[in-house]
């Protein structure tokens, strides 16, 4: 339920921010963490060492059935769990949902010796759930990961200088449009024309104006003679727009036009260019997102007995 919708949210965050963390629950539903709600630590090779996530949780809504306490015992009731974290059901029930919401912190750490993921959850500084997973339910996907960094870089950050320049030049276009379309009427000092004369309906007769060769000398409209100057800015704006369109794979910028638009070879070249451009994005989505999700789903199906015949490890490619 909501798998595709959450996938779109995740990939949008990946494109813009360059980093996304998801969690696949036991029912295979996907949760996407906002970037300010998780921390990721990687080693020099880029492999994840641990995650820390933060969620706003109503303690009464904790799905306690099946959770294990720090001593390894399965919880028998929610009240026992709440008592461990110094909370009482009666006190919580007397509050509104907003007032009883607490920070739920989850620590997911890779254990290099045992080759498993240790997961611990806590509220009020008290650990109430511990588990070990062969296949992590947390899927971390990065765009472009610089060496030694913990978070990836997205399309937007990689093209940030061009985007800033484009935004600034767009603002200049708006300022020019405002200046050109602004209507201000100026009257010569001492003119016999009054401001109310200018407000008369079309076709009215106004007396007292000084006219030379059929042109009223007393009145002038504000004019912005900046067209030639802004032509330079518009040319730069158009160039940056085209470059951003190619970077963002917009078909209006990458598609051939004119005679070339009717050539199958031209479109084949465009397709090859797009495939090459997508290579930098498709690789992390495939290796860091699609395959881990499939492995986690396969693990859940085997664990719950929904696949009778075991599938060998490392069979997913």
């Amino acid at each position: 339920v909501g798998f595709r919708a959450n996938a779109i949210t995740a990939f949008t965050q990946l494109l813009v921010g360059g980093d996304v963390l998801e969690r696949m629950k036991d029912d295979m539903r996907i949760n996407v963490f906002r970037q300010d709600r998780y921390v990721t630590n990687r080693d020099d090779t880029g492999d994840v060492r641990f995650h820390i996530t933060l969620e706003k949780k109503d303690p009464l809504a904790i799905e306690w059935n099946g959770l294990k306490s720090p001593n390894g015992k399965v919880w028998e009731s929610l009240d026992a769990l709440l008592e461990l974290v110094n909370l009482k059901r009666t006190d919580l029930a007397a509050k509104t949902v907003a007032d009883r919401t607490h920070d739920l912190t989850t620590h997911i750490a890779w254990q290099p010796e045992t080759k498993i993921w240790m997961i611990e959850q806590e509220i009020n500084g008290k650990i109430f759930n511990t588990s070990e997973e062969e296949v992590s339910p947390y899927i971390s996907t990065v765009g472009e990961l610089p060496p030694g960094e913990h978070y990836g870089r997205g399309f937007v950050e990689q093209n940030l200088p061009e985007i800033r320049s484009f935004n600034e030049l767009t603002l200049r276009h708006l300022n020019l449009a405002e200046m050109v379309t602004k209507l201000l009427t100026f009257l010569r000092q001492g003119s016999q024309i009054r401001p109310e004369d200018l407000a008369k309906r079309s076709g009215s007769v106004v007396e007292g104006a000084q006219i030379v060769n059929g042109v009223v000398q007393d009145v002038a409209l504000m004019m912005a003679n900046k067209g030639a100057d802004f032509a330079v800015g518009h040319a730069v704006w158009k160039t940056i727009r085209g470059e951003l369109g190619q970077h963002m794979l917009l078909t209006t910028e990458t598609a051939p036009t004119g005679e070339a638009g009717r050539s199958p070879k031209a479109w084949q070249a465009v397709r090859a260019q797009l495939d090459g451009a997508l290579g930098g994005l498709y690789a992390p989505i495939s290796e860091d997102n699609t395959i881990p999700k499939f492995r986690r789903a396969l693990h859940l199906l085997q664990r719950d007995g929904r696949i009778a015949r075991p599938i060998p490890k490392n069979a997913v490619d």
Side-chain angles (χ1 to χ4, degrees), residues 106-126:
T106 304
H107 189 268
I108 310 99
W110 171 249
Q111 310 298 313
E113 294 183 356
T114 57
K115 306 299 181 183
I116 61 171
W117 293 90
M118 175 66 70
I119 301 176
E120 297 179 337
Q121 292 184 299
E122 64 177 54
I123 290 180
N124 277 345
K126 301 289 185 178

Side-chain angles (χ1 to χ4, degrees), residues 57-76:
K57 190 74 173 181
D58 178 4
L60 296 181
I62 294 177
E63 299 175 359
W64 58 272
N65 191 15
L67 300 184
K68 293 182 180 180
S69 63
N71 58 15
K73 295 183 179 181
V74 178
W75 289 107
E76 299 180 353

Side-chain angles (χ1 to χ4, degrees), residues 49 52 113 142 153 210 233 285:
R49 288 189 286 200
I52 300 175
E113 294 183 356
V142 297
R153 304 289 186 265
Q210 183 179 357
I285 291 178

Side-chain angles (χ1 to χ4, degrees), residues 241-270:
R241 179 179 181 273
E243 292 177 352
L244 283 176
Q246 293 178 358
H247 293 325
M248 299 301 175
L249 306 180
L250 300 179
T251 56
T252 55
E253 301 298 340
T254 58
T257 58
E259 186 66 26
R262 293 184 288 272
S263 172
K265 292 184 178 180
W267 285 103
Q268 290 175 2
V270 170

Side-chain angles (χ1 to χ4, degrees), residues 193 209-212 214-220:
I193 298 178
Q210 183 179 357
I211 301 175
V212 177
V215 178
V216 180
Q217 302 297 307
D218 299 14
V219 182

Side-chain angles (χ1 to χ4, degrees), residues 2 7 11-12 21 35 42 55 64 84 92 158 170 172 176 210 219 235 247-248 268 287 304-305 315:
F11 292 148
T12 301
L21 180 66
Q35 284 189 318
R42 301 176 183 273
E55 302 173 76
W64 58 272
L84 176 68
L92 293 172
Q158 294 176 34
T170 300
R172 296 291 184 268
L176 176 62
Q210 183 179 357
V219 182
H247 293 325
M248 299 301 175
Q268 290 175 2
E287 296 180 7
D304 299 339

Side-chain angles (χ1 to χ4, degrees), residues 19-136:
D19 199 280
V20 65
L21 180 66
E22 304 168 85
R23 176 179 59 199
M24 178 180 285
K25 294 185 175 182
D26 288 351
D27 57 2
M28 299 190 187
R29 287 186 300 167
I30 299 293
N31 290 128
V32 181
F33 290 94
R34 214 169 62 186
Q35 284 189 318
D36 61 344
R37 295 294 178 86
Y38 70 87
V39 173
T40 298
N41 184 278
R42 301 176 183 273
D43 58 22
D44 290 341
T45 63
D47 294 332
V48 174
R49 288 189 286 200
F50 67 81
H51 300 292
I52 300 175
T53 66
L54 175 65
E55 302 173 76
K56 299 295 182 179
K57 190 74 173 181
D58 178 4
L60 296 181
I62 294 177
E63 299 175 359
W64 58 272
N65 191 15
L67 300 184
K68 293 182 180 180
S69 63
N71 58 15
K73 295 183 179 181
V74 178
W75 289 107
E76 299 180 353
S77 66
L78 178 61
D79 295 286
L81 187 154
L82 294 176
E83 183 179 356
L84 176 68
V85 297
N86 300 327
L87 295 173
K88 294 184 178 180
R89 180 192 289 269
T90 54
D91 295 340
L92 293 172
K95 299 179 181 179
T96 63
V97 176
D99 291 336
R100 65 174 179 249
T101 299
H102 285 66
D103 289 343
L104 188 155
T105 305
T106 304
H107 189 268
I108 310 99
W110 171 249
Q111 310 298 313
E113 294 183 356
T114 57
K115 306 299 181 183
I116 61 171
W117 293 90
M118 175 66 70
I119 301 176
E120 297 179 337
Q121 292 184 299
E122 64 177 54
I123 290 180
N124 277 345
K126 301 289 185 178
I127 297 175
F128 68 89
N129 178 40
T130 60
S131 62
E132 297 179 352
E133 295 282 357
E134 275 186 54
V135 181
S136 175

